[in-house]
């Protein structure tokens, strides 16, 4: 159970089967060291706080003390839940299994879900199916059994809906949130799992389409692949994506910028993010950013800075 959450004010700032395959590691881009990376900006002093990755909430970023089930909520044991009625609210449950969402305007609030391999017959933690429009997941914990090898997303979107995920603690999955568009905010994604030789590990991944906002999160990927925030073109081009005011570390690259075979990108923005060298000297094992064409309209990478020095990247 977490302590009372705070407000994060940072001033420095589809084919179901194919998507399932993408989560299982077969479709993301390679972590090749030859990928394009923009030139670094001149070093400029950043915010006064440094080494925030050691205690994220000290600097206003989410961690285990500010995400998850709200204080004072008593959870009731449950098996898997089918959210198949429009407007359904799923709350106050300690679920071993999965939540399968196939209706519109569902809210998942103040739940703990332990799913995936080793958690009974569940295949997922939370899965969004066709028809799951305007799903909200908030103040919850999504996880897999401690220490287990997993190749799944804590939130897997295999439909066209755009979820809102806020103040959620996600751990033990190979991807925190896998979706086309939507909002992931004020959440803590960490201790990611993998199946060696199979998983592509990402904190948040969009497989195509765009319209994704990732803001005010702490996302830590201790693995040397694939990324922290990834914009892929597995199922379509990327546009209108915003990644801003996050605390990020690890993966092959911190950011994958959306380049791919479906077409040119636009309005891909990585702004004011704090990058920690928690696992690797370059932020990610290979560097900070790849696959972003800064010559295309609206694409931008600016204001991003090192956690330990405050200097711009």
């Amino acid at each position: 159970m977490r302590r009372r959450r705070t407000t994060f004010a940072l001033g420095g700032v589809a084919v179901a089967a194919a998507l399932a395959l993408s989560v299982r590691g077969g479709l993301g881009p390679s972590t090749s060291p030859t990928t394009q990376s923009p030139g670094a900006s001149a070093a400029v002093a950043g915010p006064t706080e440094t080494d925030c990755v050691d205690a994220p909430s000290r600097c206003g970023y989410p961690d285990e003390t500010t995400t998850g089930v709200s204080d004072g909520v008593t959870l009731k044991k449950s098996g898997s839940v089918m959210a198949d009625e429009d407007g359904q609210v799923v709350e106050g449950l300690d679920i071993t299994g999965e939540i399968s969402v196939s209706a519109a305007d569902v809210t998942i609030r103040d739940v703990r879900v332990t799913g995936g391999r080793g958690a009974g017959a569940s295949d997922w933690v939370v899965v969004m199916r066709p028809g799951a429009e305007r799903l909200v997941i908030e103040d919850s914990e999504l996880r897999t059994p401690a220490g287990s090898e997993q190749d799944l997303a804590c939130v897997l979107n295999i439909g066209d809906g755009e979820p809102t995920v806020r103040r959620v603690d996600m751990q033990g999955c190979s991807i925190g949130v896998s979706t086309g568009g939507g909002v992931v905010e004020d959440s803590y994604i960490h201790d990611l799992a993998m199946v060696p030789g199979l998983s592509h590990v990402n904190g948040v991944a969009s497989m195509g389409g765009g319209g994704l906002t990732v803001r005010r999160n702490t996302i830590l990927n201790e693995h040397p692949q694939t990324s922290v925030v990834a914009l892929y073109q597995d199922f379509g081009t990327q546009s209108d994506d915003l990644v801003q005011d996050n605390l990020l570390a690890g993966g092959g690259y911190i950011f994958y910028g959306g380049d791919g075979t479906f077409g040119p990108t636009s309005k891909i923005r990585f702004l004011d993010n704090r990058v920690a060298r928690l696992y690797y000297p370059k932020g990610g094992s290979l560097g900070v950013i790849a696959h972003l064409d800064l010559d295309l309209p609206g694409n931008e990478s600016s204001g991003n800075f090192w956690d330990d020095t405050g200097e711009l990247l």
Side-chain angles (χ1 to χ4, degrees), residues 2-191:
R2 63 185 172 89
R3 296 198 293 270
R4 181 66 56 192
R5 62 176 179 264
T6 57
T7 300
F8 305 110
L10 300 181
V13 259
V15 177
L19 259 174
L21 284 172
S22 75
V23 171
R24 301 193 183 282
L27 299 176
S30 164
T31 55
S32 167
T34 63
T35 51
Q36 178 183 354
S37 179
S41 302
V44 177
T48 56
E49 301 93 345
T50 58
D51 298 314
C52 292
V53 73
D54 296 334
S57 59
R58 172 177 61 84
C59 301
Y61 296 95
D63 59 20
E64 70 277 1
T65 71
T66 59
T67 60
V69 177
S70 301
D71 291 345
V73 175
T74 300
L75 301 180
K76 179 182 178 180
K77 294 288 187 181
S78 174
S80 294
V81 173
M82 298 290 293
D84 54 4
E85 298 182 8
D86 290 352
Q88 185 172 345
V89 177
V90 181
E91 63 181 334
L93 298 178
D94 186 354
I95 296 167
T96 300
E98 65 186 31
I99 301 178
S100 176
V101 184
S102 57
D105 301 305
V106 170
T107 298
I108 297 171
R109 177 189 302 128
D110 285 322
V111 301
R112 178 182 300 121
V113 187
T114 305
R117 185 180 302 178
S122 64
D123 292 319
W124 316 108
V125 183
V126 175
V127 56
M128 291 179 62
R129 302 187 182 279
E133 304 290 336
R134 298 176 296 279
L135 172 65
V136 174
I137 308 172
E138 60 187 11
D139 302 311
S140 294
E141 182 179 349
L142 308 179
R143 65 186 188 179
T144 65
S148 59
E149 292 183 348
Q150 299 287 338
D151 186 56
L152 79 168
C154 284
V155 179
L156 173 63
N157 183 1
I158 59 175
D160 296 325
E162 296 188 348
T164 297
V165 180
R166 62 169 72 103
R167 298 185 302 274
V168 177
D169 184 326
M170 287 168 268
Q171 57 185 297
C173 301
S174 58
I175 300 178
V177 179
S178 175
T179 184
V183 177
V184 182
E185 62 186 5
D186 301 323
S187 293
Y188 182 38
I189 302 173
H190 60 105
D191 292 303

